[in-house]
Amino acid sequence: MKCALITGGSRGIGRAICIKMAELGYYVLINYKGNVAAANETLEAVRAKGSDGELLQFDVGNEQEVTTVLGGWVEGNKEKYVEVLVNNAGIREDNLLFWMNSTQWRNVLGSSLDGFFYVTKQVINSMLMKRHGRIVNIVSLSGLKGLPGQTNYSAAKAGVIGATKALAQEVAKRGVTVNAIAPGYIKTDMTAELNEKELAALVPMNRFGTPEEVAEAVAFFASKASSYITGEVLSINGGLYT
Ligand code: NAP
């Protein structure tokens, strides 16, 4: 059975990716941190596409939880293997560096950068054994250009970009590709309190993107069509590069 694990699959971009992977016939492992109602809605949407899946609750930034829950799933499901991993879970806690406290720094690096490490470690072994796997990391425009008020978030996402390029070279011979997607402004809970009208005016396409537009690119990186692409960062930003 082909499985796809999407971290932060309960809401926003992660939910759209879960639904897209279900459409493509994957059994979907939906990770979430705390919002069980939203995670169940994603699972219902996965089933509505004629596929199936299950919920895996763990904090990607907590090594113990990742080992217990995800490691336990891997151990107990030897007949299945995670062919596609989407490291999507992430948060932002914006502040100018001058005002930023170490909790804000650690929380943001923990969910994106530590999360990438802890989760990928649990599933890479079976990808290498099967000589096939797809890892897609959701990063951000902020990690490419840096954004004021986001030193923590820019550092976390830039860190994942570096890890993407390094890991891509480590596992290329074994048929595993590792790529990143860098969205600009996407309409989700994360951007809900931003002034959309004002910010959309800065985007050449004059609008925020949708989670579904990001999910389409994930589907491409997950597919055979992208088999010679690895270590790449694809921007999805309506033309907002600077
Ligand atoms: P969102 O709507 O706020 O959803 C965040 C998701 O991540 C939720 O499913 C949440 O689970 C989960 N999550 C958060 N921290 C977690 C943790 N420590 N462990 C496990 N799950 C965790 O966010 P989004 O806009 O869809 O963002 C998804 C990804 O895209 C993030 O990595 C974000 O940095 C990136 N991104 C977003 C934008 C944008 O404009 N929206 C732009 C660039 C990059 P619960 O539901 O349980 O809380």
Side-chain angles (χ1 to χ4, degrees), residues 10-11 13 33-35 59-60 88 139 153 157 184 186 188:
S10 47
R11 291 182 286 124
I13 293 171
K33 185 178 177 190
N35 195 336
D59 174 349
V60 295
N88 163 78
V139 293
Y153 188 79
K157 297 301 193 183
I186 308 296
T188 67

Side-chain angles (χ1 to χ4, degrees), residues 9-11 15 30-46 54-57:
S10 47
R11 291 182 286 124
R15 174 182 287 175
I30 305 161
N31 158 256
Y32 68 105
K33 185 178 177 190
N35 195 336
V36 67
N40 270 312
E41 276 177 37
T42 303
L43 183 55
E44 271 171 36
V46 160
E54 63 189 278
L55 306 185
L56 288 182
Q57 181 182 15

Side-chain angles (χ1 to χ4, degrees), residues 25 103 132 147:
T103 306
H132 178 72
L147 282 178

